[in-house]
Amino acid sequence: MKKIFAAAAIALVMITSCSDDDSSSNNNNNSDAVLLKKMVETYEDGTSFTTTYTYDEDKLVRKNESDGYRTEYFYTNNKLSGIKSYDDTNHLTGEDVLTYDNNGRLATRVEYWYALEEGDEEWAEKSVFTYNSNGTISRTIYIGDMDSQTELWEEGTITIANGNMTKLVSEGDTAVNTYDSKNNPMKNTFAQDIFTLLDGIYGGKNNLLTYTQTGADPESITRTYTYNSDDYPTTAVETNLTDGSNDQTNIQYFYE
């Protein structure tokens, strides 16, 4: 699956500002809003993986995983500005730095990948977002070292509809996604529109039903859900149909 569709590469401790920002980012400031507290994924071999989420009001500040890894999120001037990822030895493995344009939209994302062992290469990737008149978003990715990223790596076009990433065209691959009309577990998270760009198919307003990528690297995923009385999913079954594998993952959602 293309990198933009992977769950955001990181997450972090938060630095908040009290300023009011005219960003389009979702800012509920509602202490009664439904927030995802825990997600448990169980695989066909019987093993499971748990992710817990910590907030300051509606701002996500930390994501802890059962393997000891964690992600911390930072905020500056009331915007998501940084993400840091740590492994189970508390080693900083990656860092995101986000910038915004004058309209409060995500302009750049620079991802820094640190050496895990002595001799490992460190490198960085810069994504530049351009907002087109037809409503699509162009994403251009450059790679390089920790100081400069100038080598063109990939160009693509993102379509966001009704708060969900519905299409990504990139380097010979086209991914088309469909969604239900229910509430995404992360719907009430601050800066939800930014997380949609960072988390791709799983970060939108609603819940993924089908993901179909055609081209050089075909992939296919489906999801089915059960919901609570407030239309938030309580369980999901994800089936990976790529190459006829039919591998299934069972997911449970728990809320504050």
Side-chain angles (χ1 to χ4, degrees):
M1 193 179 294
K2 286 292 184 182
K3 191 167 190 179
I4 194 165
F5 288 139
I10 37 233
L12 12 168
V13 161
M14 135 175 203
I15 300 172
T16 22
S17 122
C18 297
S19 68
D20 277 330
D21 198 287
D22 61 357
S23 160
S24 62
S25 297
N26 177 35
N27 185 358
N28 296 310
N29 288 325
N30 181 0
S31 59
D32 296 326
V34 175
L35 297 171
L36 180 65
K37 180 65 176 178
K38 182 171 71 172
M39 180 174 67
V40 180
E41 300 169 89
T42 303
Y43 309 108
E44 288 190 336
D45 63 2
T47 60
S48 63
F49 188 85
T50 300
T51 306
T52 57
Y53 302 83
T54 303
Y55 302 85
D56 183 342
E57 295 185 345
D58 58 354
K59 289 185 173 74
L60 179 64
V61 297
R62 185 177 295 105
K63 184 170 66 176
N64 290 90
E65 300 172 346
S66 55
D67 59 2
Y69 286 64
R70 76 178 190 278
T71 302
E72 298 178 348
Y73 301 83
F74 298 85
Y75 299 82
T76 303
N77 296 327
N78 219 30
K79 291 184 180 298
L80 177 64
S81 58
I83 304 172
K84 292 184 178 180
S85 296
Y86 297 85
D87 65 14
D88 57 352
T89 66
N90 203 36
H91 179 79
L92 180 63
T93 60
E95 182 175 8
D96 282 19
V97 176
L98 310 180
T99 67
Y100 297 83
D101 65 17
N102 291 333
N103 294 314
R105 302 173 300 189
L106 183 64
T108 65
R109 174 192 191 181
V110 181
E111 301 172 75
Y112 298 96
W113 303 99
Y114 298 109
L116 300 181
E117 299 178 356
E118 186 176 351
D120 287 351
E121 182 180 1
E122 295 185 329
W123 61 284
E125 177 179 301
K126 181 179 182 179
S127 298
V128 178
F129 299 90
T130 303
Y131 297 82
N132 305 315
S133 59
N134 64 358
T136 63
I137 302 170
S138 297
R139 184 196 62 173
T140 306
I141 298 177
Y142 301 90
I143 59 173
D145 58 25
M146 306 300 271
D147 298 317
S148 176
Q149 307 82 40
T150 58
E151 179 183 345
L152 179 62
W153 180 253
E154 184 178 284
E155 294 178 298
T157 303
I158 299 166
T159 301
I160 303 288
N162 299 318
N164 302 304
M165 183 179 291
T166 57
K167 189 176 183 180
L168 171 66
V169 179
S170 180
E171 300 297 318
D173 289 319
T174 298
V176 177
N177 318 301
T178 64
Y179 298 83
D180 64 12
S181 59
K182 309 295 186 180
N183 296 314
N184 187 288
M186 303 296 288
K187 175 183 177 180
N188 296 316
T189 304
F190 180 85
Q192 187 267 340
D193 57 336
I194 304 303
F195 282 108
T196 298
L197 282 176
L198 301 182
D199 292 351
I201 58 175
Y202 298 117
K205 179 180 178 181
N206 306 115
N207 302 290
L208 179 74
L209 292 176
T210 64
Y211 164 84
T212 306
Q213 180 168 289
T214 57
D217 299 301
E219 291 188 68
S220 179
I221 291 172
T222 65
R223 278 191 172 195
T224 59
Y225 301 88
T226 59
Y227 306 91
N228 63 20
S229 59
D230 294 319
D231 285 338
Y232 288 89
T234 56
T235 66
V237 177
E238 178 174 295
T239 304
N240 189 337
L241 302 173
T242 305
D243 298 327
S245 65
N246 290 314
D247 291 336
Q248 288 193 336
T249 301
N250 292 284
I251 307 168
Q252 296 173 282
Y253 302 96
F254 302 87
Y255 300 93
E256 291 189 335

